Amino acid sequence: MKKVSLKKAVELNKQSIQSHIGSGDQAHLPVSSEHAGFMTPDLFHNQQLASGNRQWLDVGTDVQTLAPGHYVGTDIQNSAFPDSPGAIVLVDVTDATGVDGSDYRQIVQMLSVNGEIRVMNLHGKSTLTPKGYSTIERVEPLWTGSVDTVGTTLTLADTIANMSAVRVTTDNGGGGVKTTVIPKPKSVSALVAGIEDTNITTNGDSASVFEMSISLNNNTAKITTNTVYDIKQQLQVKTGLMKVLSIEGVF
């Protein structure tokens, strides 16, 4: 290999770089939708967002001012979960500009701890679009079967602690199937579900009133009472007639 002076080496390197970069109409510019080119830090960042990576937001960032992309943060402004300070929130923003210059934007926020989803839709200049966040209800099956015996303990597929409600479906054996929703504060891991149902005969000469209590604690549920009151001329009290068919967590 022929050795060259430092000055000559620098000159050759300069020529090589200039040949690669080009100049004028031949310049090697940042990549675009129509031309090959260099990838700038901003273009690399956008590529990372497009591939599913999320950008961490500074505390207090207003999510309604974000460019389209995928983000994650805590204590953000205009959060869909103001009742969960400090919680990690995943934010997805999509955007389109109409022919009239209006902004059509959707902001989806998910509470990372339990997957609760809330959505805001901004429809251009329309005054009819709701301005708040709506909830996309998600349901997780916790138990299915058919039991009516008092004292029976059911093992749930997940803890109820992070659920916003518990949904219990029962069958009274004559009047059909009923679903009862029991709201609960998040983080509460124990509650008692009181379920009532009524069955009246077609001619109206008798009625049955069903009552059941289910004690839920983390990932177990136990039937504590199950009673039916038959009313036909006189009151008769029976037990063990309403069946639990399923228990679901709502979030």
Side-chain angles (χ1 to χ4, degrees):
M1 179 182 293
K2 184 179 179 180
K3 293 184 178 181
V4 297
S5 66
L6 178 60
K7 179 179 179 181
K8 183 65 175 179
V10 171
E11 181 64 26
L12 290 173
N13 190 45
K14 177 181 178 182
Q15 292 175 5
S16 176
I17 293 174
Q18 287 178 337
S19 174
H20 178 61
I21 295 177
S23 62
D25 292 338
Q26 302 301 317
H28 199 175
L29 301 174
V31 65
S32 69
S33 60
E34 298 178 350
H35 302 97
F38 292 117
M39 179 174 280
T40 66
D42 285 343
L43 293 174
F44 177 79
H45 169 72
N46 290 338
Q47 186 273 334
Q48 291 292 95
L49 293 182
S51 64
N53 289 281
R54 294 184 179 274
Q55 175 186 346
W56 274 95
L57 300 172
D58 293 332
V59 171
T61 298
D62 186 349
V63 296
Q64 294 188 18
T65 64
L66 292 173
H70 308 290
Y71 306 91
V72 59
T74 61
D75 297 313
I76 52 181
Q77 188 176 342
N78 283 314
S79 169
F81 305 97
D83 56 338
S84 300
I88 295 176
V89 179
L90 310 181
V91 182
D92 294 294
V93 181
T94 55
D95 186 79
T97 301
V99 293
D100 61 350
S102 298
D103 188 33
Y104 298 91
R105 174 176 289 249
Q106 183 184 74
I107 303 173
V108 181
Q109 298 188 36
M110 175 186 285
L111 196 61
S112 181
V113 68
N114 67 353
E116 186 177 349
I117 300 175
R118 295 178 184 174
V119 180
M120 174 183 284
N121 181 49
L122 303 176
H123 186 70
K125 300 176 181 178
S126 173
T127 58
L128 302 178
T129 307
K131 302 301 182 184
Y133 284 93
S134 57
T135 298
I136 298 178
E137 183 179 271
R138 303 174 68 193
V139 177
E140 179 183 359
L142 300 178
W143 180 89
T144 57
S146 179
V147 296
D148 60 10
T149 305
V150 173
T152 301
T153 298
L154 313 175
T155 300
L156 308 181
D158 199 354
T159 178
I160 66 170
N162 286 324
M163 310 296 177
S164 58
V166 175
R167 195 160 69 183
V168 181
T169 300
T170 53
D171 184 357
N172 65 25
V177 174
K178 177 181 180 179
T179 297
T180 303
V181 178
I182 303 96
K184 58 171 284 297
K186 280 178 287 190
S187 79
V188 170
S189 60
L191 61 88
V192 175
I195 301 167
E196 297 180 352
D197 202 357
T198 303
N199 181 23
I200 301 176
T201 57
T202 54
N203 59 13
D205 66 347
S206 65
S208 297
V209 179
F210 300 83
E211 292 183 351
M212 175 185 284
S213 293
I214 301 177
S215 177
L216 298 107
N217 190 357
N218 284 313
N219 64 339
T220 62
K222 183 177 182 180
I223 301 175
T224 53
T225 64
N226 190 9
T227 305
V228 57
Y229 302 92
D230 283 338
I231 305 171
K232 186 175 182 180
Q233 296 181 344
Q234 63 179 1
L235 178 66
Q236 294 182 349
V237 181
K238 303 177 182 179
T239 59
L241 292 180
M242 186 157 61
K243 296 181 181 296
V244 181
L245 301 183
S246 68
I247 300 175
E248 300 166 307
V250 181
F251 55 96

